[in-house]
Amino acid sequence: VFNQTYVEEGLFDEEEDNLQGVLQVFRVFKLARILKLARHSRGLQSIIFTLTQSARELGLLIMILVITGLIFSSLAFYIEQGEDSGFTDIPTAFYWVIITMTTVGYGDIFPVSG
């Protein structure tokens, strides 16, 4: 009866959300601890140095990938609009473009025309 009252009133969900928030804080602290270890690891120092030195190029690469992904996802959505392929909107088509470009290819969404 006690648990049923919590579930019916939605109080259990709030407690679960609070627990998820606390766990998220601990994950951030764990990441900070790993970054502190970078001071002692030559390999991590070189990775961080490389990422900071090529931040503009990486940003440009991500921007180009996003723009081309949006173009191709828009094309895929409008081409597959009348078909029953799972392309319900442009963000779903963008998901398909990203999954296809990274060669993961889950197979949950695929074009059926052509």
Side-chain angles (χ1 to χ4, degrees), residues 9-65:
E9 294 178 7
L11 297 176
F12 186 71
D13 293 334
E14 291 175 11
E15 290 177 3
E16 188 175 310
D17 289 342
N18 290 338
L19 179 64
Q20 291 294 329
V22 169
L23 290 176
Q24 187 69 26
V25 169
F26 283 127
R27 287 182 192 130
V28 170
F29 284 140
K30 188 185 291 187
L31 179 65
R33 210 173 4 163
I34 290 172
L35 292 177
K36 275 201 265 184
L37 288 176
R39 290 183 290 189
H40 306 294
S41 171
R42 200 107 158 122
L44 284 176
Q45 285 178 353
S46 65
I47 288 173
I48 291 172
F49 177 76
T50 303
L51 289 175
T52 55
Q53 292 298 313
S54 60
R56 286 189 64 188
E57 291 82 5
L58 289 172
L60 181 64
L61 174 68
I62 291 171
M63 185 182 74
I64 289 172
L65 287 174

